[in-house]
Amino acid sequence: DMKVTQMPRYLIKRMGENVLLECGQDMSHETMYWYRQDPGLGLQLIYISYDVDSNSEGDIPKGYRVSRKKREHFSLILDSAKTNQTSVYFCASSLSGGNYAEQFFGPGTRLTVL
Amino acid sequence: QQNVQQSPESLIVPEGARTSLNCTFSDSASQYFWWYRQHSGKAPKALMSIFSNGEKEEGRFTIHLNKASLHFSLHIRDSQPSDSALYLCAVGGGSALGRLHFGAGTQLIVIP
């Protein structure tokens, strides 16, 4: 069963705390993505990973960093979270980095930073 | 930088209606065009894609692409309440290596 998983699903943190969002996929997909979704703004790309230790910034990387040490796992880290990082975060994966490949999304993590 | 715009922002239609959603893009070198659907509280899921000018039909859904006009659209025939969702268009290729640019979405509500 092809699946992208995200943990945790809901998270409340205080401003200045560190945040770790985790994503896994069981499809051996090369490319993985982190997006955030805010009302009226669609999906904004934070980082893209083409394979293990091959990561590139997306449109809004400031305040975020990522780690990919295994093909099936991709982590998003917020060092010293800010209130404007309150959002829904989606992880996705695709067979390759080509835009012709469908992106499969995880269920999302709703992060609230107080 | 790719600019993807969707219209309308929201749409309410009666069950059985034909619905049209629009998407414009700015990079004329774009090559890949997608529609994703996101039900409330759920993950986005790919609905359809088109990679060359023209029309593509899958069941009640049809995509039209006109690259010269920098425009593509999604048409839903015989809209159903289960079609109620946020529809996101996405554009890839051109200068955007390995990534898609998403529009802000059209919220569709189908009234029974």
Side-chain angles (χ1 to χ4, degrees):
Chain A
D1 188 23
M2 300 189 299
K3 191 187 291 186
V4 178
T5 58
Q6 290 187 237
M7 291 292 289
R9 294 292 314 279
Y10 302 90
L11 189 60
I12 299 175
K13 287 286 193 177
R14 295 197 178 278
M15 191 169 59
E17 292 184 329
N18 297 331
V19 176
L20 173 64
L21 305 184
E22 304 206 75
C23 175
Q25 50 98 0
D26 61 1
M27 298 171 277
S28 297
H29 283 172
E30 288 182 354
T31 308
M32 297 185 74
Y33 312 79
W34 275 108
Y35 293 92
R36 63 178 281 177
Q37 185 176 38
D38 301 291
L41 294 179
L43 290 164
Q44 297 176 273
L45 181 66
I46 305 171
Y47 269 93
I48 181 173
S49 174
Y50 296 101
D51 211 329
V52 171
D53 284 330
S54 179
N55 308 317
S56 292
E57 295 180 346
D59 294 324
I60 53 165
K62 187 177 179 181
Y64 303 94
R65 59 184 175 94
V66 292
S67 175
R68 192 168 179 202
K69 298 300 182 184
K70 292 183 179 181
R71 178 172 278 193
E72 62 269 23
H73 289 127
F74 191 31
S75 301
L76 180 68
I77 301 116
L78 288 68
D79 294 314
S80 187
K82 300 172 180 53
T83 56
N84 62 8
Q85 293 178 309
T86 293
S87 188
V88 179
Y89 291 85
F90 286 100
C91 174
S93 71
S94 66
L95 186 59
S96 75
N99 307 125
Y100 51 83
E102 178 181 350
Q103 292 187 21
F104 293 85
F105 285 81
T109 294
R110 184 174 293 275
L111 172 66
T112 301
V113 182
L114 302 175
Chain B
Q1 175 77 347
Q2 179 77 269
N3 183 20
V4 180
Q5 299 289 327
Q6 290 189 240
S7 64
E9 288 185 11
S10 62
L11 194 55
I12 302 174
V13 301
E15 184 175 354
R18 175 180 166 88
T19 303
S20 296
L21 311 178
N22 298 294
C23 187
T24 61
F25 53 97
S26 60
D27 185 350
S28 59
S30 299
Q31 298 171 284
Y32 308 104
F33 306 89
W34 290 84
W35 285 97
Y36 281 75
R37 184 167 68 178
Q38 184 179 22
H39 287 105
S40 181
K42 302 295 185 182
K45 184 173 171 57
L47 187 62
M48 288 183 73
S49 61
I50 191 167
F51 300 156
S52 57
N53 254 353
E55 177 180 306
K56 179 179 178 181
E57 180 178 332
E58 290 182 2
R60 297 184 294 110
F61 299 88
T62 303
I63 294 183
H64 287 280
L65 171 63
N66 184 331
K67 286 188 182 181
S69 300
L70 304 177
H71 175 267
F72 66 111
S73 56
L74 177 70
H75 305 274
I76 307 173
R77 177 172 46 86
D78 188 23
S79 297
Q80 299 296 307
S82 57
D83 295 330
S84 297
L86 181 69
Y87 287 78
L88 299 161
C89 67
V91 180
S95 58
L97 178 63
R99 55 161 300 178
L100 293 173
H101 285 92
F102 285 85
T106 293
Q107 185 68 54
L108 173 65
I109 298 173
V110 182
I111 306 295

